[in-house]
Amino acid sequence: MTAPADTVPTDRFFALLAESLAAGTLAKLVLGKYHGPEADLQRLTARPVLLRGQPHLSFVYTHRTKDITKNHPVDEAMALLRGLAGPAFGHAHLLTTAEDVQLLFSRKGKPALVRRPTAQPREAAVAHDREKHRFLDLGRPFLRELGVTDAQHKLVPAMSRKWKQINKFVEVLDHAFDGSALAQGSAPVKVLDFGAGKGYLTFAVHDYLTHTRGRPAEVTGVELREDMVQLCEGAARKLDLTGLHFRLGDVGSIETGPTDVMIALHACDTATDHALHRGITAGASIILSAPCCHKQIRPQMKSPALLQPMLQHGIHLGQQAEMVTDSLRALLLEAHGYATQVFEFISLEHTSKNKMILAVKRPGLPAAKREALRAQIAEIKAFYGIREHCLETLLDARSPAPEATPA
């Protein structure tokens, strides 16, 4: 039994659409001349995309003042388009690499098909997963040695969160590096990583500097657990990684010397302050710290009268103490010549320890700016009744502020 004559153009149009999808020749599909119930909808554009490895059509609904995007699996998308062409849109335009195909509906809804070759060569739409740019490649040998990838260099599923953390950290370092004085030189980059743990980030930093940047690097991971030091040092020697070493110790026991990049992730209690102090006094161009603990500040805090109704709750007091602790750390870094940011390192869906302090050394801090920052620090301490902040004490006792330039 043949299809009724008035459905043949529509059937042929969607058969051509299906063929272009299968052959990878589809550029786009546009539905126009909208006459449905949405007053400001103008047209619908569909293009092929891959989402999680599966083919979809991405619909963009163009309104007068906004665009709305919705993605549908191919079979679902084809059914939706079939229901929209005619009843809601009076014109469907299929653009492939070789031809233009138009499905036109009369006022009475009668379809007509028009086909003609393209006037100029046209490229097909490139279907793709919207995968974030990665600063590391899964094929790097250290990832296999540390168990992030398997023997075929495929990501171990249980390590997917760690893989995202590693890449995010290297992304942050890459932007900081470009904005620092280190980007202009060619000398070996000296990196100190306190609390190296299993060495994921330490290896990643060494690989980024030597492989991606092409810079010689001297990277030292410092860790309190002897078994972790032996594990990481063994992996570094097995891979013959020049300039990467691991040492047993902590922020208070290791002599640093000049350092270009100082890293300290989740150093507990005031160990974060000691690490920041070591970075400042070592003249680090970049300081990366995931701060930990507000144990020193919380007992000192006196709730100002206005805030007492909020801070009577323990969870709010803890959050406030964390904010005050890290805000003072950031201001103290700025007062010592660093451009400082405090931000979410990686989504809470991947880790609960997600705050990062990034400080990049800037030359020539004006004296007036330094004094204004010190005044802000004093005002915050006075407001909350804080007598001492560990980083401030360390900086005042052991290292004079950098020479300021005239205002």
Side-chain angles (χ1 to χ4, degrees):
M1 180 176 179
T2 59
D6 61 349
T7 68
V8 171
T10 303
D11 293 340
R12 184 58 182 150
F13 180 87
F14 281 97
L16 291 169
L17 172 60
E19 290 172 10
S20 69
L21 278 168
T25 60
L26 174 63
K28 64 180 176 180
L29 171 69
V30 181
L31 301 187
K33 293 188 177 180
Y34 180 73
H35 49 260
E38 294 188 49
D40 64 341
L41 180 59
Q42 297 177 332
R43 63 183 176 275
L44 166 61
T45 304
R47 288 184 173 87
V49 296
L50 279 175
L51 298 176
R52 299 180 179 89
Q54 299 300 314
H56 287 64
L57 280 176
S58 180
F59 286 13
V60 178
Y61 296 85
T62 301
H63 297 72
R64 286 193 179 91
T65 59
K66 62 182 178 181
D67 289 346
I68 297 175
T69 301
K70 296 182 180 180
N71 299 313
H72 303 281
V74 170
D75 288 346
E76 178 182 309
M78 293 290 282
L80 288 170
L81 290 167
R82 184 85 187 228
L84 292 170
F89 292 90
H91 183 194
H93 191 182
L94 171 63
L95 295 89
T96 74
T97 56
E99 65 176 352
D100 289 353
V101 184
Q102 297 185 66
L103 180 63
L104 308 172
F105 292 89
S106 68
R107 292 184 179 180
K108 294 183 179 181
K110 184 177 180 179
L113 192 69
V114 178
R115 298 177 65 179
R116 57 175 174 267
T118 58
Q120 295 180 345
R122 179 186 293 134
E123 292 184 356
V126 179
H128 63 280
D129 279 316
R130 294 187 176 182
E131 184 68 24
K132 287 187 177 180
H133 170 67
R134 298 299 185 191
F135 286 82
L136 295 174
D137 186 274
L138 282 171
R140 302 304 300 152
F142 82 90
L143 293 170
R144 182 180 60 187
E145 192 65 31
L146 297 181
V148 178
T149 59
D150 59 21
Q152 288 72 44
H153 300 289
K154 293 183 178 179
L155 180 65
V156 175
M159 299 299 291
S160 60
R161 291 185 177 183
K162 180 59 67 177
W163 172 237
K164 290 178 181 178
Q165 291 176 35
I166 294 170
N167 271 281
K168 183 62 177 179
F169 183 84
V170 176
E171 179 184 350
V172 171
L173 176 60
D174 179 74
H175 292 311
F177 199 94
D178 282 337
S180 74
L182 298 175
Q184 308 303 319
S186 59
V189 180
K190 298 180 180 180
V191 181
L192 197 62
D193 180 9
F194 288 112
K198 295 181 180 179
Y200 298 114
L201 297 183
T202 322
F203 276 86
V205 169
H206 180 269
D207 188 83
Y208 162 76
L209 291 171
T210 58
H211 179 73
T212 304
R213 283 277 179 176
R215 291 283 293 273
E218 298 174 12
V219 180
T220 302
V222 180
E223 171 57 42
L224 277 170
R225 293 168 291 179
E226 187 172 1
D227 59 335
M228 291 292 99
V229 173
Q230 292 176 352
L231 174 70
C232 294
E233 184 67 17
R237 302 289 69 79
K238 181 179 178 180
L239 297 171
D240 195 24
L241 297 177
T242 302
L244 176 60
H245 296 280
F246 292 83
R247 296 173 60 185
L248 185 66
D250 61 13
V251 67
S253 63
I254 296 294
E255 290 299 325
T256 58
T259 302
D260 297 310
V261 180
M262 197 286 299
I263 301 167
L265 305 186
H266 311 303
C268 193
D269 201 1
T270 56
T272 292
D273 299 298
H274 285 271
L276 294 175
H277 173 251
R278 293 293 290 270
I280 293 171
T281 55
S285 292
I286 300 172
I287 296 174
L288 282 158
S289 173
C292 187
C293 297
H294 48 269
K295 293 180 180 178
Q296 183 202 27
I297 295 299
R298 181 167 177 169
Q300 298 182 56
M301 286 182 61
K302 296 179 180 178
S303 301
L306 179 63
L307 302 184
Q308 284 178 2
M310 295 190 300
L311 301 184
Q312 64 179 318
H313 307 290
I315 186 172
H316 287 167
L317 182 60
Q319 291 169 342
Q320 187 85 335
E322 178 183 342
M323 182 187 72
V324 172
T325 300
D326 293 332
S327 295
L328 289 173
R329 285 167 172 161
L331 287 169
L332 286 163
L333 283 161
E334 290 185 16
H336 281 74
Y338 287 85
T340 307
Q341 301 175 55
V342 182
F343 57 93
E344 183 181 80
F345 166 48
I346 195 166
S347 172
L348 283 169
E349 111 184 64
H350 304 301
T351 176
S352 59
K353 299 178 179 180
N354 69 329
K355 186 187 292 185
M356 177 73 73
I357 296 177
L358 168 63
V360 179
K361 187 72 172 176
R362 294 285 186 261
L365 179 69
K369 176 65 173 176
R370 177 161 59 87
E371 291 307 314
L373 288 165
R374 288 188 175 278
Q376 289 176 353
I377 293 167
E379 288 174 2
I380 292 171
K381 289 172 62 182
F383 184 74
Y384 286 102
I386 297 169
R387 299 178 303 279
E388 180 187 7
H389 189 288
C390 181
L391 179 56
E392 183 181 32
T393 300
L394 291 169
L395 290 168
D396 287 347
R398 303 182 190 179
S399 60
E403 183 178 347
T405 59

